[in-house]
Amino acid sequence: MTITDDFARSHLPAAAAMPDLIFTLPELQYPPRLNCVTRLLDHWVRAGEGGRPCLIGAGVEWSYAETQAKVNRIANVLVQHYGITPGQRVLLRAPNGPMLAACLLAVIKAGAIAVPTMPMLRARELTYPMEKARISLALCDVHLRDELEGTRMLSPALGPVGYFGDAAADGLEALMDAASDQFDAVDTAAGDVCLIGFTSGTTGVPKGSMHFHRDLLAVCDAYGAQVLRPVAADRFIGSPPLAFTFGLGGLLLFPLHVGASAVLLERAGPDDLLQAIPQYGATVCISAPTAYRVMLGKLAGRDFSRLRKCVSAGETLPKATFDAWLGATGIRMLDGIGSTEMFHIFIAAREEDTRAGATGKPVPGYEAKVVDAELNEVPDGTPGRLAVRGPTGCKYLDDPRQASYVQGGWNLTGDTYIRDADGYFWFQARSDDMIVSAGYNIAGPEVEAALMLHPAVAECAVIGWPDPARGMLVKAFIVLTPGHTGDAALTTDLQDFVKATIAPYKYPRAIDYVAALPKTATGKLQRFRLREG
Ligand code: 3UK
């Protein structure tokens, strides 16, 4: 069986625009043909480990054998009921949970391409990935039905949707019951696309990052095996959505790669984690600095004794948080920088090598350097642009922005870093206008576009404002249309309006009313002047 739908392959970047891919470790030498689900799931059942716990959710615990049976049933439904062919894209929409994980694995096992989406995205935000990835089939939690059905008017190509999470006669579970629990993984190439992850770009237009079967194993063999080093007895837990490659790697691929188990929580805010870590006896926690900071203040009386590893990524981990967590739990947190384009973490440090406040050193299998505008390496101690390469790399779906992320074969993440004389990398700032708030990337222009739809808003600018709890918070500067007053009632009204227009977490937590916005002579907004306060 080969890929019959050529869309993803034919929309890969041209050879000259591809990043260098290097496979320096013995573990990274993959055979030319592989389906990553064979290694992550079938492998354990074949090895006689099918009875081990695999996916855990509220009131649910599936062994590896049970997970495999669910995945096989879903794969059969996809092929026989929905008629999907290898290479076709399938949109996935659900909060974290065993069913979402099973759907994702089933899509990939069937040789198709998973396009997971953040559950909080609204109908209008779903349209772009749907059109860009040419989605015709979706699997979706029935509780998110309204927003998905709301996209049909804008994206008429959307065909059937398999809804799960209720007992409907035409629901996914009913179709699964009628399907076989046997399914042989489709024989894909190591370099076939199996996943597309969408991010919000700095311009507000999302970018689709394509990843190969091989990439999903490479992050396990690189960061997983070299830095995190989990064991089969581990029980993973954490906050990032599986639709974010941070969550997909940390909460699904890493545990399955070593035969461990994953606790997938629908709600995984700091307060949920505080309760769930002791409840499930979690040993590895995957989250963002903000969440660890919130948890720090509430650890008293909690039994975190089984917890042994804490991964922090998404934004920089301040030294103060590292030190306080070490004091409170005895655990040296693992900071690591990753990106949707690189799939997962490429600079980090093992516990014994951590340096509070530094991100770490290149993960074995990756190379990193700090360069100037001309891509020349700058001396240690000098800030510059972070450039990385390794077994994974940026492969945008049909996007001219490939040329800004990949230059001279290196991936330029858009971050400013300093390397010290010992080879440690220290994060300075994002080089662009992206607002990173509580671990989420929020594009200011997208929030501006939403605000501009409100009749009271004449003009606006949205920037990141330093905030001790969230890293950055979304702050809007607004020029009102005549007849409106910038009072508390209007602020609440505007905030609610944004929440109803785009994903609620992007709403401006602070709003200032101003008479005019700073602009250049050519009329361009000067965001840096607003940031200066
Ligand atoms: C920033 C960090 C300082 C940095 C991600 C781990 O965050 C992830 O992916 P995104 O595409 O954002 C990437 C950008 O976020 N960043 C991430 N981690 C750190 N800055 N210290 C850190 N430890 O600007 C980077 O370019 O949303 C993280 C694994 C997978 C991921 N996708």
Side-chain angles (χ1 to χ4, degrees):
M1 172 85 81
T2 46
I3 297 295
T4 44
D5 181 325
D6 206 33
F7 172 80
R9 183 183 300 162
S10 63
H11 287 86
L12 279 168
M18 284 285 281
D20 294 345
L21 296 175
I22 55 171
F23 302 93
T24 50
L25 307 174
E27 300 88 326
L28 298 173
Q29 314 301 318
Y30 299 102
R33 299 201 70 83
L34 68 84
N35 185 311
C36 63
V37 178
T38 306
R39 170 63 183 83
L40 295 167
L41 189 57
D42 300 338
H43 169 79
W44 299 108
V45 179
R46 210 172 291 153
E49 303 284 344
R52 300 188 59 83
C54 180
L55 301 179
I56 298 163
V60 178
E61 180 167 326
W62 295 343
S63 67
Y64 273 83
E66 287 168 323
T67 303
Q68 184 194 48
K70 300 267 183 201
V71 167
N72 288 350
R73 287 177 189 277
I74 300 168
N76 280 316
V77 170
L78 287 169
V79 173
Q80 286 160 18
H81 182 79
Y82 293 115
I84 65 149
T85 54
Q88 196 175 326
R89 283 76 49 217
V90 181
L91 189 100
L92 298 170
R93 238 176 114 52
N96 283 2
M99 245 328 249
L100 173 61
C103 287
L104 199 135
L105 294 168
V107 168
I108 297 176
K109 191 169 185 180
I113 299 173
V115 186
T117 56
M118 301 276 194
M120 63 279 248
L121 293 192
R122 302 250 177 219
R124 76 161 63 221
E125 295 159 295
L126 282 171
T127 332
Y128 183 83
M130 294 227 286
E131 300 276 311
K132 188 77 184 173
R134 305 246 184 100
I135 301 285
S136 54
L137 174 69
L139 301 179
C140 178
D141 187 314
V142 69
H143 301 102
L144 300 173
R145 182 199 293 256
D146 289 352
E147 291 293 338
L148 186 55
E149 291 299 326
T151 64
R152 279 192 193 279
M153 272 200 335
L154 304 156
S155 294
L158 178 64
V161 178
Y163 285 107
F164 55 86
D166 67 5
D170 60 346
L172 183 57
E173 282 95 342
L175 294 168
M176 284 166 68
D177 287 343
S180 161
D181 63 1
Q182 302 293 313
F183 185 91
D184 288 334
V186 169
D187 171 31
T188 44
D192 278 337
V193 175
C194 71
L195 183 94
I196 306 176
F198 278 91
T199 45
S200 299
T202 42
T203 61
V205 181
K207 291 173 273 198
S209 291
M210 303 205 278
H211 301 288
F212 298 149
H213 282 265
R214 189 180 64 215
D215 297 339
L216 274 62
L217 299 182
V219 295
C220 299
D221 284 315
Y223 179 76
Q226 302 290 329
V227 180
L228 186 59
R229 296 166 298 159
V231 295
D234 273 318
R235 194 168 262 219
F236 285 64
I237 204 164
S239 56
L242 294 179
F244 184 20
T245 60
F246 179 35
L248 180 58
L251 294 174
L252 187 62
L253 307 183
F254 298 162
L256 266 57
H257 194 250
V258 297
S261 56
V263 181
L264 297 170
L265 302 170
E266 195 159 311
R267 290 167 46 95
D271 291 320
D272 306 301
L273 287 177
L274 278 167
Q275 196 228 318
I277 289 170
Q279 183 190 337
Y280 290 97
T283 61
V284 179
C285 181
I286 310 284
S287 197
T290 320
Y292 288 109
R293 272 199 292 277
V294 174
M295 283 195 269
L296 263 174
K298 304 179 177 180
L299 285 175
R302 307 278 179 180
D303 177 12
F304 272 37
S305 57
R306 294 197 56 193
L307 193 62
R308 63 186 201 97
K309 285 175 184 282
C310 295
V311 175
S312 170
E315 57 186 332
T316 190
L317 177 67
K319 182 180 184 304
T321 310
F322 178 93
D323 290 340
W325 192 262
L326 178 59
T329 67
I331 299 170
R332 302 178 71 84
M333 289 180 74
L334 302 175
D335 188 7
I337 179 173
S339 73
T340 306
E341 289 85 351
M342 298 301 292
F343 197 101
H344 220 272
I345 294 172
F346 47 81
I347 295 177
R350 297 176 170 197
E351 285 88 347
E352 58 270 30
D353 301 327
T354 48
R355 243 176 232 194
T359 315
K361 295 183 178 183
V363 168
Y366 287 84
E367 296 171 1
K369 58 185 184 178
V370 180
V371 300
D372 63 17
E374 282 75 45
L375 302 181
N376 299 310
E377 249 183 285
V378 299
D380 287 343
T382 313
R385 306 197 294 159
L386 179 65
V388 295
R389 60 178 190 180
T392 59
C394 176
K395 304 178 284 282
Y396 286 138
L397 164 60
D398 180 30
D399 203 308
R401 290 168 291 183
Q402 177 77 15
S404 35
Y405 204 96
V406 176
Q407 293 174 26
W410 291 77
N411 300 273
L412 290 147
T413 64
D415 298 292
T416 302
Y417 258 85
I418 290 176
R419 186 175 64 192
D420 69 18
D422 298 331
Y424 279 84
F425 285 73
W426 299 77
F427 175 79
Q428 305 301 300
R430 277 224 39 102
S431 315
D432 59 21
D433 278 332
M434 205 67 188
I435 304 167
V436 184
S437 181
Y440 288 111
N441 277 1
I442 300 167
E446 193 191 356
V447 185
E448 291 166 14
L451 279 168
M452 292 297 288
L453 297 171
H454 193 285
V457 177
E459 271 189 292
C460 64
V462 170
I463 61 161
W465 196 256
D467 177 68
R470 312 185 73 82
M472 287 277 182
L473 63 74
V474 178
K475 178 166 185 173
F477 293 82
I478 293 177
V479 181
L480 292 174
T481 50
H484 292 276
T485 314
D487 54 16
L490 182 61
T491 295
T492 308
D493 183 32
L494 288 166
Q495 289 171 330
D496 290 344
F497 180 80
V498 173
K499 287 185 203 172
T501 310
I502 54 178
Y505 70 89
K506 297 173 184 172
Y507 85 92
R509 284 168 193 269
I511 296 184
D512 271 9
Y513 298 97
V514 293
L517 295 171
K519 301 223 180 105
T520 64
T522 54
K524 283 208 181 73
L525 198 58
Q526 293 173 306
R527 287 203 180 74
F528 69 92
R529 283 180 55 193
L530 291 171
R531 266 190 228 109
E532 285 161 0

